[in-house]
Each structure stands twice: as C-alpha cells, then as structure tokens.
Amino acid sequence: MDETLEQELMARFERLTEELRTNQIQAFREDFLEMHYYEQGQFYQSLTSEDRLLLYSLLSPKEMADMFDVIEEDHENMSLYLSEMRPSYAAAMLAEMYSDNAVDLLNTLDKKQKAMYLSLMDKEVAADIRELLHYEDETAGSIMTTEYVSIVANQTVRSAMYVLKSEANVAETIYYIYVVDNEDRLVGVISLRDLIINDDDAMIQEIMSERVRSVHVGDDQEDVAQTFRDYDFLALPVVDYDDHLVGIVTVDDIIDVIDDEATSDYSGLAAVNVEEVDEHPLKAASRRLPWLIALLFLGMITATMINQYEELVSEASILAVFISLITGTAGNAGTQALAVAVRRIAMPEDKERSFLITVLSELITGLIIGLITGIVIFVLVALWKHNPILGFVIGIAMMCAITVANLAGTFIPMLMDKLGFDPAVASGPFISTLSDLTSVLIYFNIASLFMGYFIK
C-alpha cells in the first residue's frame, strides 16, 4: 500500500476508535460503513477485545457478516471473535454470510459449538450449511457456495430477468446464470450480457450455451483451480453424481485456494510452517525441531561415513578442502530438481507425462548440468593447485554427485505422489541432507581410485 494512503487509513482508524470509545454512534456508523469491507476487517482486527465488544452493539449481524465475508485470519482468532459475541448474534451473522464462508468459519470450531450455532439459525439456512459441512476438505464441495441464480431452459428472457432480479441480492455472483432442466440437471449457461441484449420473448434454450464446463463435488480443489486458470472463469458450477446443480465455486475462493496451496508447498519445501510468522518463540521452536532433529540423525550418517574415510583424508588432506563444495553444489542441484518436480506434479498437463520419461529427462538434465559444472571445477582446481589429476577427480565427483542429487530431487517427490503422499513433504532440507550423504560416498570412492596419481 502507498505510504500516504496507509497514513490516511491509520488516521481514519484512530478517529473511528475515538468515536467508538466516546459513544458517537451516528458518526461512527457513517464513517465505518463508508469504508470498503476489507478496510472494515482491518480496523476490526486492530481493535482490543473491549473495543470489539462495543462494536458488536453498534453493528447489525448483516453488517458484521459483510465484513466477515472478506476477513482472512487464522483459526485461533476467528474462534475467539465468535466467542466474544452473544450466541444468537453470532448465529445471525453466520446465517447472513455466504454459505461457503460460513462453513469455513464453522470448521474452526468443535462439534458442540457448531451444533449450538446451527440450532440458533433459521432451519432452511442451517440445512444448507449442514450439507456443505459434510463434504471432504479441499474438494469442490467444501469451497462451493449455494448462493447462485439458476433458471430453466423453457422460459423466456423476460421471466429469467424477473428471477435474476428477485434473487440477485442473495447471490454471490450474477455474471453467469446456470440453466437447469425440470429435474435440476445442469444443461447450459447464459451470461448476464446475453440476457440484456436479447429480446424479452426469446427462449432461454435458444440463446444459452450448452457447452458448459462444470466440476464434481468430489474434485480436488487444486484441479478446480487449474480449470479456472485454463478457462479464465469467474465462477464454475458444481454438480453431484447425477449432474444435479448443487452449487458454484467463485474466483475469490479459488484465489484463496491458490494462496493456500502455494503456502503449503513452500512450507513443505522449507520443512517449516511459513504461515506462523508471528507465533511465540517456544511454539515456533517446537514446530521446527522435529524436522531438524530427524535431519540431524541423517547428517550423523554422513559424518560417520566421512569418518570411515579418515585414513584416506589423512593421506591426502587436500580432499577435505573440497567436501563442502561438492556436497553444497549437489544439494543445491537436488533442491532445484525438487522444486521443478513439485511444480510439475501440480500441473495436470505435465502430470500426465510418463513417470519413466520424466525421470529420464531429469537424468539427462542432471548429466548436462553435472558435466558442465564438472568441467568448470576441473579447470579451476587444475590451475589453482597445479594438479590436473586432482582437478579431474573433483570434476568427476562433482558431475556424479550433481547427477544423483538431481535424480533424487525428481524421483522422490514423484514416487511419493504415486504412493498418494504430499510430494512437498520431500522437503528441501531433506533432499539437501540426502545429497550430502550420496555426495560424500561418491567423492571419496572416486578419490580412492586415483589416490596414487594426485598425491605428491
């Protein structure tokens, strides 16, 4: 945000807080409600618990719902916010929210709390939310909303516009209107533009598009996001096993999915939860330590292996100089291959490639990278130490270590994906530590073969 705009926003927040605390009800409501919902959410989250209690007395559940529909916050705070409200007020707010957002918020609570809020809602609204709560996490069903506009094929544009006007105030989007048959099966789609430009007496079935793209309630949210990316949709209809229209997924939810998936992949690659940037140091340490301890034991295997070559190193101490160079470069190559593999797995067009072809392609890539890097280090060492044989040993070891690390960085996440595990769990630190182990083994075995040629 521009610094001047940020300063203006902070000044507005200070004025609102003063109006709130001094009970200037009319002034506060006017200033607060003229802000964008996002800015309202930012102000709300900046308040103390005591100030938020004052806010609940000045805003209606509908006004709070409009703000909560755009708030992005961690689960702990969201449950705290609800607990501050009167149960009837919180239930009314949840009922006014878009159903998919209400479901996300309810999923931060335990079963007893969910049941309490649902029991306080209108029965029809509660039934819609309960239905969405039953869908598995990270599927199209779990992120869809039931607030959409649908019309039937055998009606006129005039009657369709009447339906649209009557339902637009509760629909999450009206840019696409979905067409169903008498049994609620999805048969087509029509845009708002098409309704406006066509004659009022035209039949919907004559102007609708039958090439409607839909997703299934059980489809993975990543696949749904990929469809949005490929087709540039603003919304996608969601159907059940019998092609009945049950909801829509909107682009704002997909942006959240893309953000969550990117964060998840980055967390996996780094072996740390990158979302918890402001957590307590003790809690942060407890999250990071398990991976580090596990990698420590793997590193001890590397140290033990180096110890096995102690006699070799004592005879040719120059070998110790290049250990970190070879292991570090191989680790970097492995991490690069891992990042590409995880990205490739996330892309359906690449995911369909043969497993063997992909691994073979990365093997060739690793050989090319290793060969060029090996030649460079061979020249550098030969000139630096005036020993071409030593340079040759370091170069060959570098080439082999990079090739193996590149292969591991590709093969391991792809194998994990084939076995049904999250490929991002094959984290960068794990691949890097594994590369250290294989690099040391390769390096000292090659060095032992040429010992008599470069020791003077």
Side-chain angles (χ1 to χ4, degrees):
M1 182 184 295
D2 182 85
E3 187 175 345
T4 303
L5 292 176
E6 187 173 358
Q7 290 174 349
E8 291 177 359
L9 191 60
M10 289 301 102
R12 178 181 290 186
F13 284 2
E14 289 177 6
R15 184 175 72 253
L16 281 167
T17 303
E18 179 65 22
E19 292 171 349
L20 181 64
R21 291 175 178 173
T22 56
N23 203 33
Q24 300 178 50
I25 299 175
Q26 187 63 31
F28 173 82
R29 283 184 54 81
E30 289 179 359
D31 289 340
F32 180 83
L33 294 176
E34 74 175 12
M35 289 195 300
H36 188 276
Y37 295 141
Y38 173 78
E39 294 172 347
Q40 292 178 7
Q42 293 299 301
F43 171 71
Y44 172 79
Q45 293 171 89
S46 72
L47 295 175
T48 64
S49 178
E50 291 77 12
D51 289 337
R52 289 197 297 269
L53 291 176
L54 294 173
L55 185 69
Y56 302 143
S57 65
L58 301 183
L59 298 178
S60 69
K62 175 65 170 69
E63 290 164 342
M64 286 294 294
D66 291 338
M67 180 184 69
F68 263 75
D69 269 326
V70 300
I71 287 182
E72 295 293 339
E73 188 51 89
D74 60 83
H75 291 179
E76 184 179 352
N77 280 351
M78 294 301 271
S79 59
L80 171 64
Y81 297 154
L82 285 179
S83 68
E84 293 174 342
M85 305 175 190
R86 297 190 318 276
S88 58
Y89 182 94
M93 182 195 76
L94 288 165
E96 293 286 355
M97 292 174 65
Y98 290 123
S99 56
D100 54 333
N101 296 330
V103 167
D104 289 341
L105 191 46
L106 285 169
N107 277 329
T108 68
L109 309 176
D110 60 37
K111 291 182 179 180
K112 186 176 180 180
Q113 291 172 311
K114 286 181 188 177
M116 176 186 68
Y117 290 126
L118 289 170
S119 68
L120 293 171
M121 292 182 194
D122 174 80
K123 290 184 178 180
E124 187 175 341
V125 174
D128 288 340
I129 292 178
R130 280 194 181 93
E131 186 175 347
L132 293 178
L133 285 168
H134 291 153
Y135 293 112
E136 291 186 23
D137 289 340
E138 300 185 353
T139 62
S142 69
I143 60 173
M144 73 180 184
T145 180
T146 54
E147 284 98 357
Y148 60 90
V149 179
S150 65
I151 55 178
V152 293
N154 59 347
Q155 68 181 124
T156 62
V157 168
R158 179 183 289 103
S159 63
M161 287 296 291
Y162 177 81
V163 172
L164 178 61
K165 290 178 180 179
S166 63
E167 297 184 11
N169 64 319
V170 295
E172 190 157 344
T173 181
I174 60 171
Y175 298 113
Y176 298 134
I177 299 92
Y178 298 100
V179 186
V180 296
D181 61 18
N182 293 329
E183 295 180 350
D184 275 339
R185 289 191 177 89
L186 182 65
V187 295
V189 63
I190 189 169
S191 68
L192 176 60
R193 179 177 180 273
D194 290 332
L195 286 179
I196 293 173
I197 65 175
N198 276 284
D199 188 87
D200 286 347
D201 294 322
M203 297 299 293
I204 295 298
Q205 60 190 7
E206 295 174 356
I207 60 175
M208 73 179 187
S209 172
E210 296 181 359
R211 295 184 300 169
V212 55
R213 178 78 179 184
S214 64
V215 293
H216 188 271
V217 287
D219 287 350
D220 188 275
Q221 63 180 18
E222 282 192 74
D223 296 332
V224 179
Q226 185 67 38
T227 303
F228 268 85
R229 195 199 74 166
D230 292 342
Y231 291 88
D232 292 329
F233 285 139
L234 295 175
L236 261 176
V238 183
V239 297
D240 63 12
Y241 293 98
D242 294 318
D243 287 332
H244 295 128
L245 181 62
V246 293
I248 64 170
V249 177
T250 54
V251 70
D252 60 308
D253 296 310
I254 289 303
I255 291 173
D256 292 338
V257 168
I258 293 171
D259 184 52
D260 290 343
E261 293 294 341
T263 301
S264 175
D265 287 347
Y266 188 79
S267 295
L269 290 172
V272 64
N273 185 2
V274 297
E275 290 185 310
E276 305 296 341
V277 292
D278 296 320
E279 64 185 349
H280 191 277
L282 286 176
K283 190 175 181 181
S286 68
R287 289 179 182 272
R288 301 180 195 183
L289 271 173
W291 258 108
L292 291 177
I293 296 299
L295 293 172
L296 177 64
F297 282 102
L298 188 58
M300 282 299 298
I301 298 176
T302 304
T304 303
M305 187 172 296
I306 293 175
N307 188 61
Q308 295 296 317
Y309 293 97
E310 184 178 4
E311 184 178 341
L312 178 65
V313 175
S314 64
E315 291 183 33
S317 57
I318 188 63
L319 293 175
V321 174
F322 300 101
I323 293 176
S324 61
L325 178 67
I326 292 176
T327 57
T329 307
N332 292 337
T335 303
Q336 287 179 335
L338 170 65
V340 172
V342 171
R343 175 60 179 161
R344 177 175 284 134
I345 290 169
M347 299 176 68
E349 59 266 30
D350 284 339
K351 196 171 181 178
E352 293 175 359
R353 292 178 63 186
S354 165
F355 180 87
L356 186 60
I357 291 176
T358 301
V359 172
L360 183 61
S361 174
E362 284 300 320
L363 175 61
I364 295 172
T365 301
L367 281 170
I368 294 171
I369 295 172
L371 179 61
I372 295 173
T373 308
I375 292 172
V376 171
I377 196 64
F378 159 69
V379 173
L380 291 175
V381 173
L383 293 175
W384 177 33
K385 293 299 180 180
H386 307 289
N387 192 333
I389 302 300
L390 177 62
F392 176 76
V393 169
I394 304 301
I396 289 293
M398 182 73 81
M399 183 187 74
C400 295
I402 288 176
T403 302
V404 171
N406 204 76
L407 188 60
T410 301
F411 180 79
I412 292 176
M414 291 189 67
L415 180 62
M416 293 181 71
D417 181 60
K418 291 288 184 183
L419 296 175
F421 298 102
D422 184 358
V425 174
S427 66
F430 173 75
I431 292 295
S432 183
T433 307
L434 182 63
S435 297
D436 289 348
L437 181 62
T438 56
S439 299
V440 167
L441 185 63
I442 291 168
Y443 177 41
F444 285 119
N445 275 284
I446 291 176
S448 63
L449 296 175
F450 292 89
M451 274 287 289
Y453 297 98
F454 64 82
I455 295 181
K456 296 179 180 180

